[in-house]
Amino acid sequence: MSIGWNFPLNNDGAEVGLNDAGIETFRGRRLEALAREINQNSCDAKRKGSDEPVEVHFDLHDIPIDFFPEKEEYIKIIQSCSKYWSNIEKSKKFFDDALDLMMKPSISVLKISDYNTTGLAGSRLERGSNWHSLIKAVGVSNKDSAAGGSFGIGKHAPFACSTIRTVFYGTKDEEGNKAFQGVGKLATHLKDGKTTQGTGYFGVTEKNKPLFELDNCLNEFFLRDKVGTDIFVMGFNGDNNWKSNIIKSVLESFFYAIHEKRLTINVAGTVIDSQTLPSLLEQYTKDDEDCLSYKYYQAIIAGTHYKVNIKNYDEVELYLLEGKKFPKKIAMVRGTGMKIFDKGHFRGLTKFSGVMIAKGPKINKLLRAIEPPSHDCWQPERNEENVSGSKKVLKELYSWISKQVRDLSNSGNAEELDIEGISQYLPDDSDASAFDNSDKRKEDHATIPKEVAVEDTPVRTKFDAKSVTSLGEAKVGPGGKIDSRNLNPEKREKKGNTPSGSKYKKDEEGDKSGSGPNKSGNNTKPIGNEDAKPPLELKSFRSFCTNPAEGVYQISYTPSRDGIGYLVVNIVGEQGEEEIKLKRAIKNQTSQPLKIKAENQIGPVEFKANARESITLTLNEAMRCALGVVMYEGQ
């Protein structure tokens, strides 16, 4: 039996260079991908019937280079690669650097070990086993619907973290079988004058089988006694911050699995489990703008809990919590306990944090089928057997989530709504002469308590009609729009002051000349009124929500001159402006209904210079948001 490294001949087939598609997938986010893929795979391999969490340990070692299995043989292989690719500067540099590393007295190794798992079963089978899928198969996964991976691409993540693109695997399965094998993802080179494939293996060279008798073949560093799997990333390329980066990645992706006591992580002595999770979230992610797990965790322990069964599928759960510092996003979590992506773009100004968990096997099977290899979104088109059905289910899921968000907005917490970055331009006082704001409630700042009992049914708060929401009085630009030119000057020249998402037509003459009453770039006209003049300057504008449950708003404005024209109403949000549909509009001074045209246009209305007027609006869809108005002269 011959033991060593073997790169199979390619039989005059494809020549393989360094640009491995699987490795390149993870190169830009190496440590994040490593943590996600490794922990997901370990969770998928949890020992059946066990109530204990899966444990995954990340430890960095500096070992003598002589521990490297068949080191001298591997050095010769790298030398052959360097010679074969000497005409390509990038490739030659990679192999020369790899040679320098192999010549040093020691090598950095990231050892990743899991416990309370089944280990990699089927190491003695030719194909079709978990071992074969990991070591030899390309683009193959034989996991069930409850598992995380479905493409067999995640196994490339450790190679992206290896300076020499070399990884060793060791396992002991539940039947007591031990196996060990190395994989090198290098490139085509010459072996005995013939070209090879790009991937080679360390083990039994005949048929590239793993080693089963390990004691006399390997240094004890590579030996394993407990059931589970070890992964050795040789020549680990993490920097000095590798530990904190992996901890952050674990917290961001697996906070729910850890909270549920399904997963425990140990990163170089730092234990992340259900007990340490709150303090570590506060330490590592609370003040990091790129991290949302701290806010998501608050939603889980202190938010309102919802449940629903998606038609023809099964259970989905949702946690929502209001708070002014929250991101208006929901963590979308599949049954594995790993966050897939952050869902945003919710209408309205209510700030919240949320977590959605797909609980049942049917919904998880569908969602797994529409995930890309990166596991960071859901794309119905990927389920080629049932694209329309996948779209329908995803639409139903998103609609249900949006409804809970709207109900949260309408539940009666009449805290002051604030467009991000605008509060500095608003006065502290409210328009008490027009509306009673005496029952306005204070913001409930959520914190992470040690023990919180979470109800299984949503808790509703009755809305007090006397409580109102005020945006105050802001500096207004042409057409009564909040002047955002000083808020984000970098975006002003790109977007001008034109409301996005609305049905406007450009005033080409005004656009060319750059002159006229609207010099900020908002040269627009209402649909169906081609003779309308540019937007009218408003001296002031205010918007109040008096009944979010019914979608009732009061707007007041002060025109700069006499005339007749139209008001165009839109939602003012963080992402710009959104078109809105109006159900009715009543002029408060006369109690007369006003005509609604093109869903969001009111008029014609008569206005007088310096005369403050107000209108009661009812939206077609009940929500709590901030409204903006553009006024145009013309019949």
Side-chain angles (χ1 to χ4, degrees):
M1 179 176 66
S2 175
I3 297 174
W5 283 95
N6 180 42
F7 281 74
L9 299 179
N10 70 356
N11 294 319
D12 297 317
E15 187 174 88
V16 180
L18 276 176
N19 294 325
D20 184 286
I23 297 175
E24 293 298 325
T25 299
F26 303 109
R27 185 174 296 280
R29 48 188 184 92
R30 298 192 308 270
L31 295 180
E32 176 191 349
L34 180 72
R36 279 174 63 90
E37 297 297 336
I38 293 295
N39 291 319
Q40 175 182 268
N41 289 340
S42 294
C43 288
D44 291 344
K46 182 176 180 178
R47 186 161 53 89
K48 293 183 179 180
S50 174
D51 294 328
E52 297 298 316
V54 168
E55 285 189 37
V56 182
H57 293 215
F58 293 79
D59 291 293
L60 187 62
H61 301 268
D62 197 52
I63 66 171
I65 192 65
D66 289 337
F67 287 7
F68 194 102
E70 297 296 329
K71 177 196 71 172
E72 297 299 333
E73 184 179 8
Y74 206 60
I75 288 175
K76 291 180 181 179
I77 291 170
I78 295 175
Q79 288 173 334
S80 179
C81 289
S82 177
K83 183 177 181 180
Y84 192 86
W85 297 95
S86 60
N87 61 327
I88 298 181
E89 182 178 351
K90 181 179 177 181
S91 298
K92 181 167 177 36
K93 184 179 185 308
F94 171 86
F95 291 117
D96 288 347
D97 290 345
L99 281 173
D100 289 342
L101 181 65
M102 294 294 294
M103 295 297 183
K104 292 181 178 180
S106 63
I107 187 170
S108 177
V109 180
L110 183 67
K111 181 181 179 182
I112 308 169
S113 305
D114 65 29
Y115 302 90
N116 199 34
T117 61
T118 61
L120 282 169
S123 57
R124 284 169 166 75
L125 299 178
E126 290 284 336
R127 60 187 304 273
S129 67
N130 290 340
W131 177 271
H132 181 268
S133 294
L134 177 64
I135 305 298
K136 289 187 178 180
V138 178
V140 174
S141 175
N142 59 354
K143 298 179 180 180
D144 59 29
S145 63
S150 57
F151 292 89
I153 293 177
K155 62 188 177 186
H156 291 84
F159 292 92
C161 296
S162 169
T163 304
I164 55 175
R165 302 209 328 194
T166 305
V167 177
F168 290 97
Y169 303 89
T171 192
K172 181 179 180 180
D173 64 27
E174 291 182 299
E175 297 179 356
N177 298 313
K178 294 183 180 181
F180 184 89
Q181 195 160 15
V183 179
K185 290 188 176 294
L186 300 180
T188 293
H189 57 277
L190 291 178
K191 181 173 72 173
D192 298 329
K194 297 180 179 180
T195 55
T196 70
Q197 299 179 21
T199 299
Y201 306 90
F202 168 80
V204 178
T205 55
E206 183 182 358
K207 295 188 176 180
N208 294 314
K209 293 181 179 180
L211 297 177
F212 301 119
E213 302 296 332
L214 311 180
D215 293 340
N216 298 323
C217 302
L218 302 169
N219 183 276
E220 62 180 1
F221 174 74
F222 296 104
L223 302 181
R224 182 179 180 111
D225 292 326
K226 294 183 178 180
V227 174
T229 299
D230 292 329
I231 297 177
F232 304 89
V233 182
M234 309 302 291
F236 179 59
N237 58 18
D239 56 22
N240 293 333
N241 296 321
W242 75 270
K243 180 178 177 180
S244 61
N245 288 335
I246 287 183
I247 289 175
K248 279 188 178 182
S249 179
V250 167
L251 293 173
E252 283 295 285
S253 296
F254 295 95
F255 64 87
Y256 184 75
I258 295 168
H259 169 70
E260 289 281 287
K261 299 181 180 180
R262 288 193 251 164
L263 180 64
T264 295
I265 310 291
N266 186 321
V267 185
T270 297
V271 177
I272 312 173
D273 59 17
S274 60
Q275 297 297 315
T276 63
L277 182 61
S279 61
L280 291 174
L281 284 169
E282 187 165 2
Q283 177 183 350
Y284 284 93
T285 70
K286 179 181 179 181
D287 299 321
D288 191 327
E289 294 182 356
D290 295 327
C291 297
L292 300 177
S293 50
Y294 177 83
K295 299 174 179 65
Y296 289 148
Y297 183 70
Q298 288 179 288
I300 293 174
I301 64 170
T304 304
H305 186 199
Y306 307 81
K307 291 183 180 180
V308 72
N309 282 317
I310 301 297
K311 186 178 180 182
N312 297 326
Y313 285 86
D314 38 32
E315 191 174 79
V316 170
E317 294 186 8
L318 177 68
Y319 294 89
L320 289 176
L321 181 65
E322 275 189 281
K324 239 185 179 183
K325 296 184 182 297
F326 288 161
K328 288 180 64 177
K329 290 185 178 180
I330 293 176
M332 307 299 281
V333 179
R334 202 151 58 76
T336 59
M338 184 178 80
K339 182 189 77 173
I340 305 301
F341 65 98
D342 306 300
K343 178 171 174 54
H345 304 293
F346 291 97
R347 298 175 68 179
L349 284 181
T350 298
K351 295 291 189 75
F352 63 89
S353 176
V355 179
M356 189 287 305
I357 308 102
K359 286 284 189 175
K362 290 183 179 179
I363 189 70
N364 272 283
K365 183 177 181 180
L366 173 72
L367 296 177
R368 181 174 182 257
I370 61 177
E371 277 179 27
S374 54
H375 305 292
D376 57 4
C377 64
W378 290 325
Q379 302 168 334
E381 294 77 9
R382 288 185 170 274
N383 189 4
E384 297 179 356
E385 296 180 357
N386 190 10
V387 174
S388 61
S390 299
K391 287 182 177 179
K392 184 177 180 181
V393 171
L394 208 58
K395 181 179 180 181
E396 184 177 346
L397 174 61
Y398 289 165
S399 295
W400 176 74
I401 292 173
S402 295
K403 181 182 183 302
Q404 310 317 311
V405 171
R406 287 196 302 272
D407 289 350
L408 183 73
S409 300
N410 298 335
S411 63
N413 187 353
E415 66 183 33
E416 182 179 350
L417 295 179
D418 181 23
I419 304 174
E420 194 73 27
I422 277 184
S423 59
Q424 59 182 311
Y425 297 93
L426 304 181
D428 293 332
D429 60 329
S430 62
D431 192 358
S433 62
F435 304 101
D436 178 12
N437 199 27
S438 60
D439 195 33
K440 182 176 172 182
R441 296 166 58 185
K442 294 182 179 180
E443 176 189 3
D444 182 14
H445 291 280
T447 57
I448 299 183
K450 292 183 179 179
E451 294 183 9
V452 177
V454 180
E455 297 291 336
D456 283 343
T457 55
V459 178
R460 305 293 188 191
T461 303
K462 185 178 180 180
F463 179 77
D464 184 351
K466 292 182 180 179
S467 298
V468 297
T469 301
S470 172
L471 271 175
E473 202 165 317
K475 181 180 179 182
V476 293
K481 292 181 57 185
I482 294 175
D483 189 351
S484 61
R485 285 175 288 178
N486 293 324
L487 299 181
N488 196 341
E490 292 180 0
K491 293 183 178 180
R492 186 179 70 248
E493 292 185 5
K494 292 182 180 179
K495 295 185 178 180
N497 227 7
T498 304
S500 60
S502 302
K503 297 177 181 178
Y504 295 98
K505 292 186 178 180
K506 202 102 178 194
D507 183 343
E508 296 180 0
E509 182 178 350
D511 188 55
K512 292 177 182 178
S513 65
S515 61
N518 180 21
K519 297 181 181 180
S520 62
N522 191 358
N523 297 309
T524 57
K525 297 179 180 179
I527 293 290
N529 191 358
E530 304 303 325
D531 296 326
K533 298 178 182 179
L536 173 70
E537 182 89 22
L538 291 179
K539 288 191 172 182
S540 66
F541 169 75
R542 304 192 75 179
S543 169
F544 296 85
C545 179
T546 57
N547 188 345
E550 300 294 332
V552 179
Y553 287 74
Q554 300 271 357
I555 62 171
S556 61
Y557 56 92
T558 304
S560 59
R561 60 175 179 268
D562 296 344
I564 297 177
Y566 286 82
L567 296 172
V568 179
V569 184
N570 287 289
I571 295 175
V572 181
E574 296 174 7
Q575 306 297 324
E577 295 188 1
E578 297 181 51
E579 190 173 296
I580 198 168
K581 294 182 180 180
L582 302 176
K583 184 183 293 184
R584 66 179 65 92
I586 297 175
K587 189 172 183 178
N588 293 336
Q589 285 78 3
T590 62
S591 299
Q592 294 297 315
L594 298 172
K595 184 177 180 181
I596 296 175
K597 185 178 182 181
E599 297 181 337
N600 70 331
Q601 297 179 25
I602 303 170
V605 295
E606 184 177 0
F607 45 87
K608 296 183 179 180
N610 303 317
R612 190 177 182 89
E613 301 188 23
S614 62
I615 296 174
T616 298
L617 300 177
T618 302
L619 309 186
N620 193 54
E621 179 182 2
M623 67 175 67
R624 191 169 60 181
C625 59
L627 298 181
V629 166
V630 182
M631 176 173 277
Y632 297 92
E633 290 185 88
Q635 298 258 3

